[in-house]
Amino acid sequence: MSQQKISLPAKLINGGIAGIVGVTCVFPIDLAKTRLQNQRQGQQVYKSMMDCLVKTVRSEGYFGMYRDMGRPWGAAVNLTLVTPEKAIKLAANDFFRHHLAKDGKGLTVFREMLAGCGAGMCQVVVTTPMEMLKIQLQDAGRLATQQQKPGMMSPTKLAAANTMLSRSFNSGPVVPAPQAVSATQIARDLLHTQGIQGLYKGLGATLMRDVPFSIVYFPLFANLNRLGKPSPEESAPFYWAFLSGCVAGSAAAVAVNPCDVVKTRLQSLNKGSSEEAYSGVMDCVSKIMQKEGPSAFLKGAGCRALVIAPLFGIAQVMYFAGVAEYILDNSPLSLLSV
């Protein structure tokens, strides 16, 4: 993270702005990543990221990349939750870095990793329910496309299908369109049937992904960004901060992609024909290894790198530009800045 001193409100605002702008830019790629990761061997609906995006546009329209099963702007759920998620992640890292620094001296790599670990653990409070809802909405189109393929729906599976999202399947030649669901409906049904723990399904896998990601990302960014500083007292140019965020983000994303695959599978409530159900992290890892091989853990890695790179590049540019500081200095909120 940047070493400039800013107030906690500014950190939170910068993180929120970064999340909103970043998610708006990369949501279609994130949708492709989720659908690719949820595909099982022998049931591939999409061949690649581009194939997924093209088929999504053809079957659901351009805004289908931003919506959930018929409701416009399904990305809104992600935008709503990613704002506090990014704010917590970035502000927490700054907080831990500040308290781990000794007499204003630079942090060792180990202490930078500790700060990143703390940030990753803090963010899962928001990340887990956000990912839980987002995955259901993003994966709905894949299941809808799969059910329309002849021979891909099993009557046994249909009888046991989760009725939470009330999808209508038909093994005959004419397949009715799946019923539209919203994030609010999914959250309400989860709370009603499983309680608050329903929204935190896959918490362990989310921790396995987000903590290592932050441990890799924040120290890597800090050291890459340091290389672009004209002098120790000056900040790196904004383009260098952006590139450092992109490189560190993509590297960390690929490194933890196996954990992201496991998390996505565990949090996917509705399964397609002949798709496995998992009882936990180890069960999921074991079944993926046995039935799909090690390469399955790299599914969506390219998409994930393309999603994360600009997200965190934008986050660093927001810090460099001082958007939050400008807002606070030119509004009554300036009283909050200390």
Side-chain angles (χ1 to χ4, degrees):
M1 290 300 299
S2 174
Q3 296 299 314
Q4 59 183 319
K5 294 182 180 179
I6 54 177
S7 67
L8 182 59
K11 292 177 185 179
L12 295 173
I13 293 172
N14 279 333
I17 293 173
I20 291 171
V21 176
V23 166
T24 301
C25 294
V26 304
F27 191 83
I29 303 174
D30 192 47
L31 179 142
K33 182 225 37 146
T34 297
R35 293 184 177 183
L36 287 171
Q37 287 183 340
N38 267 330
Q39 290 190 136
R40 295 344 186 241
Q41 204 166 33
Q43 298 178 319
Q44 282 84 356
V45 177
Y46 312 109
K47 298 177 182 178
S48 64
M49 179 186 73
M50 286 306 300
D51 182 54
C52 178
L53 293 175
V54 169
K55 287 180 178 177
T56 298
V57 171
R58 285 178 180 173
S59 61
E60 303 171 49
Y62 175 78
F63 290 109
M65 295 188 293
Y66 284 94
R67 79 166 137 227
D68 63 272
M69 291 305 294
R71 296 181 187 270
W73 305 108
V77 61
N78 208 25
L79 287 172
T80 301
L81 291 172
V82 82
T83 302
E85 186 260 338
K86 281 290 177 288
I88 291 170
K89 186 187 192 82
L90 298 170
N93 180 67
D94 273 356
F95 174 83
F96 288 119
R97 286 180 69 92
H98 174 75
H99 286 278
L100 286 170
K102 289 185 176 179
D103 302 323
K105 296 180 180 179
L107 294 172
T108 62
V109 173
F110 178 71
R111 285 177 179 267
E112 288 178 337
M113 293 172 70
L114 281 179
C117 177
M121 294 184 71
C122 289
Q123 77 172 86
V124 296
V125 175
V126 177
T127 303
T128 306
M130 176 189 77
E131 292 278 313
M132 185 70 182
L133 298 176
K134 183 191 72 174
I135 285 170
Q136 313 317 314
L137 302 178
Q138 288 183 336
D139 202 37
R142 180 187 69 88
L143 293 173
T145 301
Q146 186 189 86
Q147 78 177 63
Q148 293 173 23
K149 284 196 169 188
M152 292 193 78
M153 293 307 298
S154 161
T156 305
K157 275 287 178 182
L158 289 177
N162 192 325
T163 59
M164 188 176 298
L165 302 185
S166 305
R167 287 198 173 86
S168 300
F169 293 106
N170 190 327
S171 58
V174 179
V175 181
Q179 295 182 9
V181 291
S182 68
T184 304
Q185 180 184 337
I186 295 172
R188 185 170 57 245
D189 288 343
L190 280 170
L191 289 171
H192 177 71
T193 58
Q194 302 179 34
I196 191 67
Q197 64 266 31
L199 288 174
Y200 281 86
K201 182 180 180 181
L203 174 62
T206 305
L207 277 167
M208 282 174 53
R209 182 197 69 174
D210 289 348
V211 172
F213 176 91
S214 295
I215 289 174
V216 173
Y217 170 77
F218 285 113
L220 182 56
F221 167 76
N223 286 279
L224 288 174
N225 193 52
R226 193 175 297 123
L227 296 175
K229 292 183 177 182
S231 68
E233 294 76 25
E234 296 182 74
S235 297
F238 81 92
Y239 63 84
W240 190 271
F242 176 78
L243 291 175
S244 298
C246 289
V247 172
S250 58
V254 173
V256 302
N257 196 76
C259 299
D260 191 52
V261 172
V262 173
K263 181 196 70 66
T264 300
R265 295 285 182 91
L266 287 174
Q267 290 185 321
S268 182
L269 294 175
N270 284 323
K271 309 294 183 184
S273 172
S274 304
E275 290 183 354
E276 290 282 356
Y278 309 106
S279 60
V281 172
M282 294 309 299
D283 180 55
C284 182
V285 171
S286 175
K287 287 180 177 177
I288 291 175
M289 281 291 293
Q290 290 176 7
K291 300 193 174 183
E292 302 175 58
S295 62
F297 291 105
L298 293 178
K299 283 184 177 180
C303 293
R304 180 163 165 75
L306 288 174
V307 169
I308 296 298
L311 265 178
F312 284 89
I314 290 169
Q316 304 310 329
V317 171
M318 291 300 106
Y319 272 82
F320 176 86
V323 175
E325 288 82 356
Y326 178 82
I327 293 173
L328 292 175
D329 289 344
N330 293 274
S331 73
L333 292 176
S334 58
L335 297 174
L336 297 176
S337 185
V338 295

